[in-house]
Amino acid sequence: MIHVDALSKSFHDRKRGTIKAVSNLSFDVAAGEIFGLLGPNGAGKTTTLRLLATVLRPSSGSATICGIDLVHDPDRARRRLGFLSGDMGHYGRLTPRQALMFFGRLNGVSKPELGRRAAELLHRFDLDSVADVKTDKLSTGMKQRLAIARCVVHDPPVLILDEPSAGLDVPGARSMEQFILEQKNAGKSIVFSSHVMEEAEYLCDRIAVVNQGELKVVGTMAELKALTGRTRLREVFLDLIGLTPEAKGVHA
């Protein structure tokens, strides 16, 4: 479903020169798999997700979604993915219902199907009571739930989720986790990024740790535990990015 081969992205800064945000990342994500992308701030996670979502063009390397090249045919690729970015980017004057209808039409969903789909998502994300309230009047948690609903309104086979629990309370985060697992069970391919280690450990089938733009390791939780000798993902993660004394003995 997702194939990434030696993907790289560089930016030019007048003071610092060329900055390699992502360097030669390679991985695959299967249908029905939740693939975690973890790393500290500035590690290149968000840049990687934006490359996969066709928001950015790679400096080198390639990536495909459902066999579609993201550089050569980005419009067709976008129809097959849903992207939740760290910036929700809502149109404040639209209501949740209008927002879902608008983004559904942009993604080619037919009008009869779209009405049914919007109603279904408004109910699933507990937004029925505010479905016709302007979005700028909603709470942060409601806006985040709408953002998740918006990225799946066209029922794409691939989801790219950047911090999906941001702004959610405990019940909201739990509902979000359940929704992601439902999408996995429906056969969707999901790339998931979070700073909440417990969330990633619970959801992810495999986890990739990136640091300074480079891929350190990819593996199941059991494999990462065996590699580091740690039992909690938080400690595994700190070892792999070199922030514990014992990490000097870990070689990804």
Side-chain angles (χ1 to χ4, degrees):
M1 293 285 275
I2 302 174
H3 175 66
V4 177
D5 183 22
L7 198 65
S8 297
K9 180 63 178 178
S10 297
F11 299 95
H12 181 73
D13 183 270
R14 285 191 299 175
K15 293 184 178 179
R16 295 184 293 168
T18 300
I19 300 167
K20 239 183 182 179
V22 173
S23 180
N24 293 312
L25 293 191
S26 297
F27 58 85
D28 293 285
V29 186
E33 180 180 22
I34 301 176
F35 185 84
L37 191 65
L38 307 183
N41 290 335
K45 304 186 304 300
T46 296
T47 299
T48 301
L49 297 181
R50 289 176 176 173
L51 289 167
L52 294 180
T54 74
V55 175
L56 297 175
R57 290 174 63 91
S59 302
S60 62
S62 64
T64 60
I65 285 179
C66 303
I68 302 166
D69 189 283
L70 300 187
V71 172
H72 296 135
D73 203 351
D75 289 340
R76 197 156 65 99
R78 289 179 194 130
R79 295 289 178 94
R80 288 161 175 80
L81 65 87
F83 177 41
L84 177 73
S85 68
D87 177 7
M88 290 182 277
H90 288 299
Y91 295 103
R93 294 185 179 182
L94 294 182
T95 68
R97 192 188 313 277
Q98 290 170 335
L100 293 179
M101 297 294 287
F102 176 67
F103 280 91
R105 291 297 298 273
L106 286 178
N107 283 286
V109 184
S110 67
K111 194 170 182 179
E113 172 65 13
L114 184 52
R116 182 198 64 79
R117 182 70 175 157
E120 178 184 278
L121 289 170
L122 289 168
H123 181 70
R124 176 61 183 81
F125 286 96
D126 196 24
L127 293 168
D128 285 322
S129 63
V130 295
D132 300 304
V133 176
K134 288 185 177 180
T135 301
D136 61 6
K137 302 295 184 182
L138 303 184
S139 69
T140 299
M142 289 177 178
K143 289 177 181 177
Q144 183 70 358
R145 297 203 303 272
L146 174 58
I148 298 169
R150 188 180 67 189
C151 84
V152 299
V153 68
H154 54 305
D155 199 21
V158 173
L159 300 179
I160 300 169
L161 306 177
D162 190 5
E163 301 284 348
S165 64
L168 297 179
D169 58 14
V170 174
R174 179 57 177 158
S175 179
M176 177 276 300
E177 290 174 351
Q178 291 172 337
F179 181 76
I180 291 175
L181 290 173
E182 289 168 10
Q183 299 300 294
K184 169 192 169 176
N185 292 335
K188 299 194 177 182
S189 181
I190 302 167
V191 180
F192 172 90
S193 180
S194 177
H195 286 297
V196 183
M197 296 292 112
E198 293 81 3
E199 188 174 86
E201 186 169 357
Y202 174 68
L203 289 172
C204 297
D205 298 295
R206 288 187 301 141
I207 292 170
V209 176
V210 295
N211 195 25
Q212 296 179 341
E214 297 182 352
L215 183 64
K216 295 300 181 184
V217 68
V218 178
T220 65
M221 191 61 206
E223 290 168 341
L224 298 185
K225 286 179 178 178
L227 176 66
T228 60
R230 301 290 189 173
T231 58
R232 299 175 62 201
L233 181 55
R234 182 178 299 175
E235 300 306 318
V236 168
F237 174 75
L238 291 172
D239 265 14
L240 291 172
I241 63 172
L243 291 183
T244 61
E246 298 89 342
K248 295 178 180 179
V250 175
H251 300 284

